[in-house]
Amino acid sequence: MQSIPDLKPVRRKARIGLRGYIFCCLGLVAALPVLVLGVIQVTKWEAKQLDDVDQERQFVAQTLVQGIGQIVDGHVRAVETLAGQVEARGSLDKTVLQPMVGSLRARYGGFSVMYIAGADAVSIVTDPPFNEDGKPNAGTNYSNRDYYQAMKRSGTTAISRVQIGKRSGVPNVQIAAPARDRQGALVGFVEGSLDLDSIQQLVDSTIKGMPGLQVAVLDHAGRVIAYPDAKLRQAVATLSQLALFKKYTGSGIEIRTGEDDKEVKMRASVTAVTAHGLDWNVVVYRPQVYELSQAATARTQVLTVAGIALLVGL
């Protein structure tokens, strides 16, 4: 009589195979949404991370525009105040003017040099009154300076481009305000040389604690007002030939990419300082490598979370 084969092992294998199949199906049901959502979230988080660093740069740019405007406005008011005092005195007597210019420069600060000149642009009194060699600073003819010519042409306060001061010997922005007699005729003007270190100090304090962030402040011709490289500041370097620092005349904030003077690829936020008709640019920038690494960090974090969720689902 033929024996009946034992089917229990076969049935046991079938049950194990079925359980494995069900496990795989349930695993896919749990894992597939996690994987799909993980990929979607990676793209979203990378975009959000880049948007966050853009927002940070834009905030710094707007803060600096306001701060620079306040610095310039305060110094313009100081120069115009002294011009008003000269008009009220109605005299260009050196003995009268010298204590006036010395007192105001000491009170306001931020001026490397201040002077009062006649209508012919020859300085009458200067503070400091003497140079390093002990020679008088007064008596210099400033008629070839752009701010004097602009002030005389417009009849109002004028602000120069960045240039080396004749008396200070360092880069300055000169502010000139006219002084008139009772008939309205120009009798002289007051000049204050704005020390650019005050703007550099504002920049440094604003970006302190922000890794990799750098700032360039440029005048209307692309000359350096504030910049990380002190040598370029002292040389009144022009950077507008670089795409990163090209002239921006818009009213908002422009996002651009380009290379700095050391050929490092940067991503920047650019805006304009328009107070007192300055037409300056503020460029806030950071290496693209840094910003992409921030996005990569976000990608790693999202994938880690997705991986954990996948294991839980399985």
Side-chain angles (χ1 to χ4, degrees), residues 236-250:
V236 193
T238 300
L239 297 178
S240 54
Q241 74 276 9
L242 299 174
L244 185 67
F245 304 114
K246 67 181 180 181
K247 182 69 177 175
Y248 174 65
T249 57

mmCIF file with all atom_site columns, all heavy atoms in Angstrom, residues 236-250:
data_model
loop_
_atom_site.group_PDB
_atom_site.id
_atom_site.type_symbol
_atom_site.label_atom_id
_atom_site.label_alt_id
_atom_site.label_comp_id
_atom_site.label_asym_id
_atom_site.label_entity_id
_atom_site.label_seq_id
_atom_site.pdbx_PDB_ins_code
_atom_site.Cartn_x
_atom_site.Cartn_y
_atom_site.Cartn_z
_atom_site.occupancy
_atom_site.B_iso_or_equiv
_atom_site.pdbx_formal_charge
_atom_site.auth_seq_id
_atom_site.auth_comp_id
_atom_site.auth_asym_id
_atom_site.auth_atom_id
_atom_site.pdbx_PDB_model_num
ATOM 1   N N   . VAL A 1 236 ? 41.239 103.562 -2.852  1.00 0.00 ? 236 VAL A N   1
ATOM 2   C CA  . VAL A 1 236 ? 40.000 104.019 -3.511  1.00 0.00 ? 236 VAL A CA  1
ATOM 3   C C   . VAL A 1 236 ? 39.795 103.214 -4.802  1.00 0.00 ? 236 VAL A C   1
ATOM 4   O O   . VAL A 1 236 ? 39.613 103.776 -5.888  1.00 0.00 ? 236 VAL A O   1
ATOM 5   C CB  . VAL A 1 236 ? 40.032 105.536 -3.800  1.00 0.00 ? 236 VAL A CB  1
ATOM 6   C CG1 . VAL A 1 236 ? 38.649 106.034 -4.172  1.00 0.00 ? 236 VAL A CG1 1
ATOM 7   C CG2 . VAL A 1 236 ? 40.551 106.312 -2.606  1.00 0.00 ? 236 VAL A CG2 1
ATOM 8   N N   . ALA A 1 237 ? 39.848 101.888 -4.667  1.00 0.00 ? 237 ALA A N   1
ATOM 9   C CA  . ALA A 1 237 ? 39.731 100.996 -5.822  1.00 0.00 ? 237 ALA A CA  1
ATOM 10  C C   . ALA A 1 237 ? 38.334 101.081 -6.439  1.00 0.00 ? 237 ALA A C   1
ATOM 11  O O   . ALA A 1 237 ? 37.340 101.328 -5.755  1.00 0.00 ? 237 ALA A O   1
ATOM 12  C CB  . ALA A 1 237 ? 40.028 99.562  -5.401  1.00 0.00 ? 237 ALA A CB  1
ATOM 13  N N   . THR A 1 238 ? 38.260 100.873 -7.739  1.00 0.00 ? 238 THR A N   1
ATOM 14  C CA  . THR A 1 238 ? 36.989 100.814 -8.460  1.00 0.00 ? 238 THR A CA  1
ATOM 15  C C   . THR A 1 238 ? 36.672 99.357  -8.764  1.00 0.00 ? 238 THR A C   1
ATOM 16  O O   . THR A 1 238 ? 37.493 98.651  -9.356  1.00 0.00 ? 238 THR A O   1
ATOM 17  C CB  . THR A 1 238 ? 37.073 101.617 -9.769  1.00 0.00 ? 238 THR A CB  1
ATOM 18  O OG1 . THR A 1 238 ? 37.373 102.980 -9.458  1.00 0.00 ? 238 THR A OG1 1
ATOM 19  C CG2 . THR A 1 238 ? 35.757 101.566 -10.527 1.00 0.00 ? 238 THR A CG2 1
ATOM 20  N N   . LEU A 1 239 ? 35.471 98.900  -8.375  1.00 0.00 ? 239 LEU A N   1
ATOM 21  C CA  . LEU A 1 239 ? 35.105 97.492  -8.521  1.00 0.00 ? 239 LEU A CA  1
ATOM 22  C C   . LEU A 1 239 ? 33.930 97.271  -9.471  1.00 0.00 ? 239 LEU A C   1
ATOM 23  O O   . LEU A 1 239 ? 33.517 96.132  -9.680  1.00 0.00 ? 239 LEU A O   1
ATOM 24  C CB  . LEU A 1 239 ? 34.754 96.898  -7.150  1.00 0.00 ? 239 LEU A CB  1
ATOM 25  C CG  . LEU A 1 239 ? 35.874 96.865  -6.106  1.00 0.00 ? 239 LEU A CG  1
ATOM 26  C CD1 . LEU A 1 239 ? 35.338 96.301  -4.798  1.00 0.00 ? 239 LEU A CD1 1
ATOM 27  C CD2 . LEU A 1 239 ? 37.053 96.049  -6.590  1.00 0.00 ? 239 LEU A CD2 1
ATOM 28  N N   . SER A 1 240 ? 33.396 98.339  -10.046 1.00 0.00 ? 240 SER A N   1
ATOM 29  C CA  . SER A 1 240 ? 32.186 98.208  -10.867 1.00 0.00 ? 240 SER A CA  1
ATOM 30  C C   . SER A 1 240 ? 32.416 97.408  -12.145 1.00 0.00 ? 240 SER A C   1
ATOM 31  O O   . SER A 1 240 ? 31.457 97.044  -12.832 1.00 0.00 ? 240 SER A O   1
ATOM 32  C CB  . SER A 1 240 ? 31.631 99.592  -11.212 1.00 0.00 ? 240 SER A CB  1
ATOM 33  O OG  . SER A 1 240 ? 32.625 100.395 -11.820 1.00 0.00 ? 240 SER A OG  1
ATOM 34  N N   . GLN A 1 241 ? 33.692 97.126  -12.493 1.00 0.00 ? 241 GLN A N   1
ATOM 35  C CA  . GLN A 1 241 ? 33.961 96.317  -13.678 1.00 0.00 ? 241 GLN A CA  1
ATOM 36  C C   . GLN A 1 241 ? 33.661 94.843  -13.433 1.00 0.00 ? 241 GLN A C   1
ATOM 37  O O   . GLN A 1 241 ? 33.557 94.059  -14.376 1.00 0.00 ? 241 GLN A O   1
ATOM 38  C CB  . GLN A 1 241 ? 35.421 96.500  -14.134 1.00 0.00 ? 241 GLN A CB  1
ATOM 39  C CG  . GLN A 1 241 ? 36.453 95.806  -13.253 1.00 0.00 ? 241 GLN A CG  1
ATOM 40  C CD  . GLN A 1 241 ? 36.835 96.638  -12.036 1.00 0.00 ? 241 GLN A CD  1
ATOM 41  O OE1 . GLN A 1 241 ? 36.220 97.663  -11.753 1.00 0.00 ? 241 GLN A OE1 1
ATOM 42  N NE2 . GLN A 1 241 ? 37.864 96.209  -11.326 1.00 0.00 ? 241 GLN A NE2 1
ATOM 43  N N   . LEU A 1 242 ? 33.524 94.456  -12.155 1.00 0.00 ? 242 LEU A N   1
ATOM 44  C CA  . LEU A 1 242 ? 33.173 93.086  -11.814 1.00 0.00 ? 242 LEU A CA  1
ATOM 45  C C   . LEU A 1 242 ? 31.654 92.948  -11.784 1.00 0.00 ? 242 LEU A C   1
ATOM 46  O O   . LEU A 1 242 ? 30.953 93.815  -11.242 1.00 0.00 ? 242 LEU A O   1
ATOM 47  C CB  . LEU A 1 242 ? 33.753 92.706  -10.452 1.00 0.00 ? 242 LEU A CB  1
ATOM 48  C CG  . LEU A 1 242 ? 35.283 92.748  -10.336 1.00 0.00 ? 242 LEU A CG  1
ATOM 49  C CD1 . LEU A 1 242 ? 35.713 92.485  -8.894  1.00 0.00 ? 242 LEU A CD1 1
ATOM 50  C CD2 . LEU A 1 242 ? 35.927 91.726  -11.264 1.00 0.00 ? 242 LEU A CD2 1
ATOM 51  N N   . ALA A 1 243 ? 31.151 91.854  -12.335 1.00 0.00 ? 243 ALA A N   1
ATOM 52  C CA  . ALA A 1 243 ? 29.703 91.656  -12.415 1.00 0.00 ? 243 ALA A CA  1
ATOM 53  C C   . ALA A 1 243 ? 29.045 91.683  -11.044 1.00 0.00 ? 243 ALA A C   1
ATOM 54  O O   . ALA A 1 243 ? 27.913 92.149  -10.890 1.00 0.00 ? 243 ALA A O   1
ATOM 55  C CB  . ALA A 1 243 ? 29.397 90.338  -13.122 1.00 0.00 ? 243 ALA A CB  1
ATOM 56  N N   . LEU A 1 244 ? 29.747 91.179  -10.030 1.00 0.00 ? 244 LEU A N   1
ATOM 57  C CA  . LEU A 1 244 ? 29.194 91.149  -8.679  1.00 0.00 ? 244 LEU A CA  1
ATOM 58  C C   . LEU A 1 244 ? 28.922 92.555  -8.151  1.00 0.00 ? 244 LEU A C   1
ATOM 59  O O   . LEU A 1 244 ? 27.986 92.769  -7.378  1.00 0.00 ? 244 LEU A O   1
ATOM 60  C CB  . LEU A 1 244 ? 30.163 90.424  -7.742  1.00 0.00 ? 244 LEU A CB  1
ATOM 61  C CG  . LEU A 1 244 ? 29.686 90.198  -6.303  1.00 0.00 ? 244 LEU A CG  1
ATOM 62  C CD1 . LEU A 1 244 ? 28.525 89.212  -6.273  1.00 0.00 ? 244 LEU A CD1 1
ATOM 63  C CD2 . LEU A 1 244 ? 30.831 89.688  -5.429  1.00 0.00 ? 244 LEU A CD2 1
ATOM 64  N N   . PHE A 1 245 ? 29.738 93.523  -8.581  1.00 0.00 ? 245 PHE A N   1
ATOM 65  C CA  . PHE A 1 245 ? 29.645 94.891  -8.046  1.00 0.00 ? 245 PHE A CA  1
ATOM 66  C C   . PHE A 1 245 ? 29.176 95.908  -9.081  1.00 0.00 ? 245 PHE A C   1
ATOM 67  O O   . PHE A 1 245 ? 29.351 97.114  -8.886  1.00 0.00 ? 245 PHE A O   1
ATOM 68  C CB  . PHE A 1 245 ? 31.015 95.312  -7.498  1.00 0.00 ? 245 PHE A CB  1
ATOM 69  C CG  . PHE A 1 245 ? 31.571 94.396  -6.460  1.00 0.00 ? 245 PHE A CG  1
ATOM 70  C CD1 . PHE A 1 245 ? 32.716 93.647  -6.703  1.00 0.00 ? 245 PHE A CD1 1
ATOM 71  C CD2 . PHE A 1 245 ? 30.943 94.252  -5.231  1.00 0.00 ? 245 PHE A CD2 1
ATOM 72  C CE1 . PHE A 1 245 ? 33.240 92.788  -5.753  1.00 0.00 ? 245 PHE A CE1 1
ATOM 73  C CE2 . PHE A 1 245 ? 31.446 93.393  -4.268  1.00 0.00 ? 245 PHE A CE2 1
ATOM 74  C CZ  . PHE A 1 245 ? 32.602 92.660  -4.532  1.00 0.00 ? 245 PHE A CZ  1
ATOM 75  N N   . LYS A 1 246 ? 28.593 95.450  -10.160 1.00 0.00 ? 246 LYS A N   1
ATOM 76  C CA  . LYS A 1 246 ? 28.140 96.386  -11.190 1.00 0.00 ? 246 LYS A CA  1
ATOM 77  C C   . LYS A 1 246 ? 27.048 97.309  -10.638 1.00 0.00 ? 246 LYS A C   1
ATOM 78  O O   . LYS A 1 246 ? 26.355 96.972  -9.672  1.00 0.00 ? 246 LYS A O   1
ATOM 79  C CB  . LYS A 1 246 ? 27.628 95.637  -12.420 1.00 0.00 ? 246 LYS A CB  1
ATOM 80  C CG  . LYS A 1 246 ? 26.353 94.850  -12.182 1.00 0.00 ? 246 LYS A CG  1
ATOM 81  C CD  . LYS A 1 246 ? 25.920 94.107  -13.438 1.00 0.00 ? 246 LYS A CD  1
ATOM 82  C CE  . LYS A 1 246 ? 24.622 93.324  -13.188 1.00 0.00 ? 246 LYS A CE  1
ATOM 83  N NZ  . LYS A 1 246 ? 24.189 92.578  -14.371 1.00 0.00 ? 246 LYS A NZ  1
ATOM 84  N N   . LYS A 1 247 ? 26.899 98.448  -11.276 1.00 0.00 ? 247 LYS A N   1
ATOM 85  C CA  . LYS A 1 247 ? 25.973 99.477  -10.800 1.00 0.00 ? 247 LYS A CA  1
ATOM 86  C C   . LYS A 1 247 ? 24.533 98.964  -10.763 1.00 0.00 ? 247 LYS A C   1
ATOM 87  O O   . LYS A 1 247 ? 24.057 98.325  -11.691 1.00 0.00 ? 247 LYS A O   1
ATOM 88  C CB  . LYS A 1 247 ? 26.061 100.698 -11.716 1.00 0.00 ? 247 LYS A CB  1
ATOM 89  C CG  . LYS A 1 247 ? 25.194 101.862 -11.313 1.00 0.00 ? 247 LYS A CG  1
ATOM 90  C CD  . LYS A 1 247 ? 25.689 102.482 -10.043 1.00 0.00 ? 247 LYS A CD  1
ATOM 91  C CE  . LYS A 1 247 ? 24.879 103.701 -9.665  1.00 0.00 ? 247 LYS A CE  1
ATOM 92  N NZ  . LYS A 1 247 ? 25.287 104.250 -8.369  1.00 0.00 ? 247 LYS A NZ  1
ATOM 93  N N   . TYR A 1 248 ? 23.849 99.246  -9.646  1.00 0.00 ? 248 TYR A N   1
ATOM 94  C CA  . TYR A 1 248 ? 22.436 98.895  -9.508  1.00 0.00 ? 248 TYR A CA  1
ATOM 95  C C   . TYR A 1 248 ? 21.649 100.176 -9.255  1.00 0.00 ? 248 TYR A C   1
ATOM 96  O O   . TYR A 1 248 ? 21.970 100.948 -8.346  1.00 0.00 ? 248 TYR A O   1
ATOM 97  C CB  . TYR A 1 248 ? 22.223 97.920  -8.347  1.00 0.00 ? 248 TYR A CB  1
ATOM 98  C CG  . TYR A 1 248 ? 20.771 97.628  -8.060  1.00 0.00 ? 248 TYR A CG  1
ATOM 99  C CD1 . TYR A 1 248 ? 19.979 96.968  -8.987  1.00 0.00 ? 248 TYR A CD1 1
ATOM 100 C CD2 . TYR A 1 248 ? 20.184 98.034  -6.855  1.00 0.00 ? 248 TYR A CD2 1
ATOM 101 C CE1 . TYR A 1 248 ? 18.641 96.704  -8.732  1.00 0.00 ? 248 TYR A CE1 1
ATOM 102 C CE2 . TYR A 1 248 ? 18.849 97.767  -6.600  1.00 0.00 ? 248 TYR A CE2 1
ATOM 103 C CZ  . TYR A 1 248 ? 18.082 97.102  -7.533  1.00 0.00 ? 248 TYR A CZ  1
ATOM 104 O OH  . TYR A 1 248 ? 16.758 96.847  -7.275  1.00 0.00 ? 248 TYR A OH  1
ATOM 105 N N   . THR A 1 249 ? 20.638 100.409 -10.057 1.00 0.00 ? 249 THR A N   1
ATOM 106 C CA  . THR A 1 249 ? 19.856 101.648 -9.951  1.00 0.00 ? 249 THR A CA  1
ATOM 107 C C   . THR A 1 249 ? 18.396 101.385 -9.612  1.00 0.00 ? 249 THR A C   1
ATOM 108 O O   . THR A 1 249 ? 17.577 102.304 -9.665  1.00 0.00 ? 249 THR A O   1
ATOM 109 C CB  . THR A 1 249 ? 19.934 102.441 -11.270 1.00 0.00 ? 249 THR A CB  1
ATOM 110 O OG1 . THR A 1 249 ? 19.465 101.606 -12.353 1.00 0.00 ? 249 THR A OG1 1
ATOM 111 C CG2 . THR A 1 249 ? 21.363 102.870 -11.568 1.00 0.00 ? 249 THR A CG2 1
ATOM 112 N N   . GLY A 1 250 ? 18.057 100.162 -9.278  1.00 0.00 ? 250 GLY A N   1
ATOM 113 C CA  . GLY A 1 250 ? 16.673 99.838  -8.959  1.00 0.00 ? 250 GLY A CA  1
ATOM 114 C C   . GLY A 1 250 ? 16.249 100.364 -7.596  1.00 0.00 ? 250 GLY A C   1
ATOM 115 O O   . GLY A 1 250 ? 17.051 100.920 -6.836  1.00 0.00 ? 250 GLY A O   1
#
